[in-house]
């Protein structure tokens, strides 16, 4: 039977470890046979002899094989593998769902049901590629969440155990000791001491692979922020979050080697999900070196990449919310789209208290929007039909846009809705579904940029020219948008 380790190229893995190449952190993990410890490739300790190394594609596989996490490089805090963002097969969709906490909330049968496969099929596929089944992968995630809470909060250990998803304090203690070779109390004693934060606020560091272009990422989020739901304040992007067990407010600020994240949650069981969704929104698990190297092979894109490398695709924390906002943005300016969205939020969003002020509501859920009287919507009648059809399909789950979605199937369902043309479908595919190859050939900003660069500017010709940019056309869109002074105004359908 083929095992997960056979998917890894041993020679390349050894070279990455010997050169301490941080680009491979999260791609694979190095397990040392003599010490029974596993590390990230960039671990600062002296690399072990090649014959003492073995490699695993996941931390869960290392733990399942009896290895403990390194106390120096903390492999559990590596960026996630880019594989799960660029693929749409069963394993990738399962990994996105596990990161979103589905196994903890619904069990493995719930995971399989969302994917449309049997439990046995899901377990077999994950074990073959990752060396661990869904329960082991979820357990590794719980251990990481527990460590975060132990080190960044003053919560009692019993509260941490249940907030991290453990069924008992004993299981929590045993797992932490097994994975980190330290008791929870010892983990807390070793954590750096920082000034006491506000009660109920967790301060975290979200790692990423360098380079990262924060002006591209945060500039777009700030420019399109919906008042009451999002804001840019004091160098940080802030927004409200609708989560499985409650709600939250997050503040995200770029730093040279991480994103500073401050989370206020109404229910700590949502911590893992909140972190996963923020990482997804900021595209922090991308491999910018691989993307940029590919786009540089095009002489027209190379100068744009060299000028400001590391552009990410700004995504979303709520796929349904983004789809609604995409419809509100059809054929109007960015400012008008924000105004429309702000009216919906004020009238139908769920109010919440923001400890810092400024944020007032959660964006309305599809169920709330489906109950809105269409005659009260300040938009043309045809767009009202588009809006009401979309929210009804989202509310009754006829249309699924979650992390488990099959991209091709979701595109087909969107195109079948009235008022949905290529631009709306592609922008939802890029920003909500997370398709790294989505391409907005009809976008006027993209067409102006193409014309300025000497590329074909008609949608058909530009699409043909962009074939060479696959599978990273969504990143090419970010570079092209950067050449236009008004890249997101007057959006087509």
């Amino acid at each position: 039977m083929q095992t997960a380790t056979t998917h890894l190229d041993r020679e390349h893995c050894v070279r990455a470890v010997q050169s301490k190449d941080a680009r491979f952190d999260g791609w694979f993990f190095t397990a040392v046979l003599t010490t029974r410890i596993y590390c990230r490739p960039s671990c600062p300790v002296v690399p072990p002899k090649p014959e003492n190394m073995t490699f695993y594609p996941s931390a869960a596989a290392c733990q399942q094989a009896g290895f403990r996490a390194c106390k120096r490089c903390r492999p559990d805090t590596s960026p996630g593998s880019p594989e799960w963002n660029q693929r749409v097969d069963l394993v990738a969709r399962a990994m996105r769902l596990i990161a979103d906490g589905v196994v903890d909330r619904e069990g493995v049968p719930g995971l399989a049901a969302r994917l449309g496969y049997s439990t046995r099929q899901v377990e077999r596929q994950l074990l073959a590629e990752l060396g661990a089944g869904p329960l082991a992968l979820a357990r590794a995630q719980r251990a990481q969440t527990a460590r975060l809470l132990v080190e960044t909060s003053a919560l009692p250990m019993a509260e941490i155990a249940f907030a991290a998803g453990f069924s008992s304090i004993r299981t929590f203690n045993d797992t932490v000791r097994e994975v980190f070779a330290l008791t929870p109390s010892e983990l807390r004693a070793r954590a750096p001491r920082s000034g006491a934060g506000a009660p109920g606020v967790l301060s975290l560091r979200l790692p990423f692979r360098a380079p990262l272009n924060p002006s591209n990422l945060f500039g777009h989020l700030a420019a399109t922020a919906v008042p009451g739901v999002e804001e840019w304040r004091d160098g940080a992007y802030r927004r409200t979050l609708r989560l499985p067990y409650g709600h939250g407010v997050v503040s995200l600020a770029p730093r040279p080697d991480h994103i500073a994240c401050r989370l206020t949650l109404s229910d700590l069981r949502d911590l893992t999900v909140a972190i996963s969704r923020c990482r997804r929104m900021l595209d922090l698990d991308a491999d910018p070196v691989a993307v940029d190297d590919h786009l540089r092979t095009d002489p027209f894109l190379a100068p744009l990449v060299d000028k400001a490398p590391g552009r990410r695709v700004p995504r979303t924390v709520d796929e349904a919310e983004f789809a609604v906002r995409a419809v509100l943005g059809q054929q109007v300016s960015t400012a008008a789209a924000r105004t429309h969205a702000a009216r919906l939020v004020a009238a139908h969003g769920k109010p919440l208290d923001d400890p810092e002020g400024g944020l007032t509501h959660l964006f309305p859920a599809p169920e709330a929007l489906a109950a809105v009287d269409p005659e009260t919507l300040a938009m043309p009648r045809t767009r009202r039909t588009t809006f009401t059809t979309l929210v009804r399909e989202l509310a009754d789950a006829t249309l699924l846009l979650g992390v488990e979605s099959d991209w091709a199937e979701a595109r087909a369902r969107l195109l079948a809705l009235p008022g949905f043309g290529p631009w709306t479908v592609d922008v939802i595919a890029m920003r909500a579904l997370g398709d790294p190859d989505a391409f907005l050939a009809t976008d006027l900003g993209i067409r102006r940029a193409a014309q300025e660069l000497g590329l074909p500017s008609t949608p058909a010709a530009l699409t043909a020219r962009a074939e060479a940019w696959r599978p990273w056309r969504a990143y090419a869109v970010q570079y092209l948008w950067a050449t236009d002074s008004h890249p997101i105004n007057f959006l087509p359908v």
Side-chain angles (χ1 to χ4, degrees), residues 17 20-21 25 39-47 70 72-74:
V17 172
K20 302 183 188 297
D21 195 333
D25 288 354
C39 305
R40 59 170 78 194
S42 65
C43 184
V45 303
V46 176
C70 175
R72 287 286 301 278
C73 71
R74 301 182 55 162

Side-chain angles (χ1 to χ4, degrees), residues 134-291:
L135 287 176
L137 290 160
R139 176 179 178 267
Q141 185 166 273
R142 283 195 294 275
Q144 181 180 355
T145 301
R147 182 174 194 161
L148 278 172
L149 288 171
V150 167
E151 295 181 338
T152 63
S153 77
L155 290 171
M157 295 299 177
E159 289 187 35
I160 289 175
F162 293 110
F166 290 96
S167 58
S168 70
I169 298 173
R170 180 176 179 178
T171 305
F172 160 69
N173 287 329
D174 290 346
T175 300
V176 170
R177 190 182 297 112
E178 180 183 335
V179 172
F180 304 114
L182 293 168
T183 66
S185 297
E186 289 169 338
L187 266 182
R188 178 165 281 174
R190 289 169 57 96
R193 296 297 175 189
S194 57
V201 177
L202 300 172
S203 295
L204 316 168
R205 293 161 62 103
L206 305 184
F208 57 77
R209 294 177 184 83
L212 180 138
N213 189 315
S215 61
N216 144 241
L217 190 58
F218 288 91
H220 191 104
L221 294 171
T224 58
V226 175
V229 175
E230 305 165 283
E231 68 173 359
W232 178 261
R233 181 199 290 188
D234 300 330
Y237 167 76
R238 303 180 70 244
R239 74 153 291 149
T240 61
L241 304 171
R242 177 183 292 103
L243 299 164
Y245 294 106
H247 61 264
V249 173
V250 66
S251 172
L252 299 160
R255 300 288 184 262
D257 62 348
H258 68 278
I259 301 296
C261 172
R262 272 201 338 274
L263 273 168
T264 305
L265 301 173
S266 63
D267 191 318
L268 283 174
R269 289 177 295 176
D270 284 323
L271 175 61
T272 300
V273 178
I275 293 173
S276 173
R277 293 184 183 179
C278 289
R279 292 191 63 83
R280 182 171 168 80
M281 175 177 66
L282 300 181
D283 197 17
L284 296 185
D285 292 328
D287 184 352
V289 173
V291 173

